[in-house]
Amino acid sequence: MHPGYLYVETSASHPGLVRLVTADYLPDTSAPGEADPCIRYVARFSDISTALMHAHDLLRRRLVDLENRIYRSDLLTAIADIEADGLNHQCVYLHPDLKASELSAQLSDRVARLQRRRERIDRIWQTVGWIAIGLLLLNFVFSL
């Protein structure tokens, strides 16, 4: 378990695609308008491998290139998926073109929706677990 940074890149030459990149260090974001690909979002995680696995799990249906971690997704969806994850993280950088006030409303809505979905799935699996325990107890009682 080692800390690191997960960042989302976009490229003008590949519209509609995002790329997830991991690094042990904070990437250079000093010239945001000049670079291609452009770093749009950076988050610091205490366990970067787990963070990448969770991000991939949420974006897996949009996968284009596994080796390069490229997904067919809009930027908002990729950022919201990372933000909605239950892992402890800190947003370190948000591209200046992304208006924080406009983005926060869209992000908070999407993050809330993803968290409700995750809670619903957790409740379903908890119910399945309790049913399995009940069946085991019934099997034990009737076997006596």
Side-chain angles (χ1 to χ4, degrees):
M1 189 164 116
H2 80 287
Y5 295 90
L6 175 66
Y7 54 100
V8 179
E9 289 181 340
T10 60
S11 176
S13 60
H14 298 95
L17 298 177
V18 296
R19 180 174 179 228
L20 299 181
V21 183
T22 59
D24 293 334
Y25 55 88
L26 183 63
D28 181 25
T29 57
S30 59
E34 301 170 9
D36 189 41
C38 182
I39 298 173
R40 300 296 186 147
Y41 169 84
V42 180
R44 184 180 189 289
F45 288 87
S46 57
D47 185 4
I48 193 62
S49 300
T50 304
L52 181 61
M53 180 184 66
H54 282 230
H56 172 73
D57 185 48
L58 290 168
L59 292 168
R60 71 182 180 271
R61 289 185 180 91
R62 300 177 184 100
L63 183 65
V64 173
D65 183 359
L66 179 61
E67 188 173 320
N68 293 313
R69 300 182 197 128
I70 297 174
Y71 302 87
R72 186 171 312 283
S73 173
D74 62 303
L75 184 61
L76 176 66
T77 301
I79 294 173
D81 287 350
I82 294 169
E83 285 291 318
D85 197 12
L87 296 176
N88 187 17
H89 70 280
Q90 176 186 10
C91 177
V92 177
Y93 172 78
L94 192 60
H95 194 274
D97 288 350
L98 301 172
K99 306 273 191 288
S101 59
E102 296 171 7
L103 191 64
S104 66
Q106 294 172 337
L107 265 178
S108 62
D109 183 43
R110 175 125 172 99
V111 167
R113 191 169 58 240
L114 288 170
Q115 287 174 340
R116 282 192 307 270
R117 178 177 169 252
R118 183 173 291 118
E119 289 169 1
R120 190 171 45 248
I121 291 170
D122 286 346
R123 272 185 296 204
I124 289 169
W125 282 113
Q126 285 178 356
T127 303
V128 168
W130 284 111
I131 290 171
I133 289 172
L135 290 173
L136 286 172
L137 287 174
L138 280 172
N139 189 24
F140 177 71
V141 168
F142 288 122
S143 67
L144 292 176

